Amino acid sequence: MSAPWHISTNCSLQMVVARRYRLCSSVVLFLDFDDVVCLNNPFGGYDVALALANSPRSTSEARYDCDIDPWLRLFDAKAIALLGSLHEEFLPKYVLSTSWWWLMDDNSLKEALVRGGLRFVADNMHPDSATPKATRPDLRWTEISNWLDAHPEFCDAWVVLDDELSGTGLCIAQPEERQPFIVLCTEGVGLIEIEYRKLRIAFSLRAGQRELPEERSVR
């Protein structure tokens, strides 16, 4: 006796969803912080480095009241929600391309993510969790390319989330086939719905889907 139609349909749907998750879980998201999830209003990477180091600050260095918890306002709430929704749907692995790497080590970066409300990023980072850095900052695309050269298995399994200011080399002379997978946020605005939609399209393309994903609201 065959299974009822609705059961077989549900099973098929579950198989499609499982395949989509399995494919996308092997995609890495190169994640920048400034002007993406952190708007530096009022806190940024230097505040994090000082807070984690417990370094005393002079009056001229203080940009906020001591009574304010910097961790609660480090990352933009809307950006956290949108990135969280993307993670829930596609389950990527994360590689940090942020310049905060110059201010703190891997453990400090992970602590900042956890305390700032992005634990799901800290818990799902690729073992090689940051783009390689030279003795001084390089073009962002050069750093990403160097990481991909060291991990050729991801040569066609990556998405970039950066911003128009610090994402150097990401929007200049990029081949057309790469452009859908490079999403740049506006300086001072960060990750909003328009970039979220582009990211969903990028991950859907990486999963081999030909149709655009249905709209998904995020509160």
Side-chain angles (χ1 to χ4, degrees), residues 104-140:
M104 58 197 90
D105 59 23
D106 288 348
N107 289 333
S108 296
L109 283 170
K110 289 180 180 179
E111 183 175 354
L113 286 167
V114 171
R115 298 180 70 173
L118 289 171
R119 176 181 287 275
F120 63 89
V121 174
D123 289 345
N124 291 278
M125 291 169 65
H126 186 277
D128 191 358
S129 59
T131 52
K133 301 295 189 292
T135 55
R136 60 182 179 179
D138 208 335
L139 290 177
R140 186 61 52 81

Side-chain angles (χ1 to χ4, degrees), residues 3-180:
W5 177 86
H6 70 277
I7 294 179
S8 61
T9 300
N10 288 340
C11 289
S12 298
L13 178 59
Q14 290 174 0
M15 290 175 66
V16 170
V17 172
R19 177 178 181 273
R20 181 179 183 181
Y21 281 178
R22 185 168 61 252
L23 288 170
C24 286
S25 65
S26 61
V27 175
V28 294
L29 177 62
F30 291 100
L31 179 64
D32 183 28
F33 288 173
D34 291 322
D35 293 307
V36 176
V37 293
C38 177
L39 302 182
N40 291 278
N41 183 25
F43 309 117
Y46 286 101
D47 300 292
V48 171
L50 288 169
L52 293 177
N54 293 318
S55 300
R57 293 175 290 111
S58 66
T59 304
S60 62
E61 293 175 318
R63 296 189 298 137
Y64 50 88
D65 297 329
C66 294
D67 294 335
I68 301 176
D69 185 351
W71 303 108
L72 297 179
R73 295 173 58 189
L74 177 61
F75 297 124
D76 181 71
K78 184 65 174 180
I80 291 176
L82 291 171
L83 190 60
S85 180
L86 187 82
H87 178 82
E88 180 182 291
E89 184 175 7
F90 295 105
L91 298 176
K93 296 297 182 184
Y94 298 89
V95 175
L96 303 184
S97 57
T98 177
S99 59
W100 289 22
W101 184 95
W102 295 94
L103 303 174
M104 58 197 90
D105 59 23
D106 288 348
N107 289 333
S108 296
L109 283 170
K110 289 180 180 179
E111 183 175 354
L113 286 167
V114 171
R115 298 180 70 173
L118 289 171
R119 176 181 287 275
F120 63 89
V121 174
D123 289 345
N124 291 278
M125 291 169 65
H126 186 277
D128 191 358
S129 59
T131 52
K133 301 295 189 292
T135 55
R136 60 182 179 179
D138 208 335
L139 290 177
R140 186 61 52 81
W141 177 247
T142 300
E143 296 174 353
I144 291 173
S145 295
N146 289 338
W147 191 96
L148 290 171
D149 287 343
H151 302 278
E153 67 273 23
F154 291 99
C155 66
D156 293 317
W158 56 267
V159 175
V160 173
L161 178 57
D162 216 293
D163 70 280
E164 297 172 346
L165 178 65
S166 61
T168 51
L170 292 173
C171 58
I172 300 175
Q174 287 289 345
E176 183 177 354
E177 61 268 19
R178 287 180 188 161
Q179 293 177 8

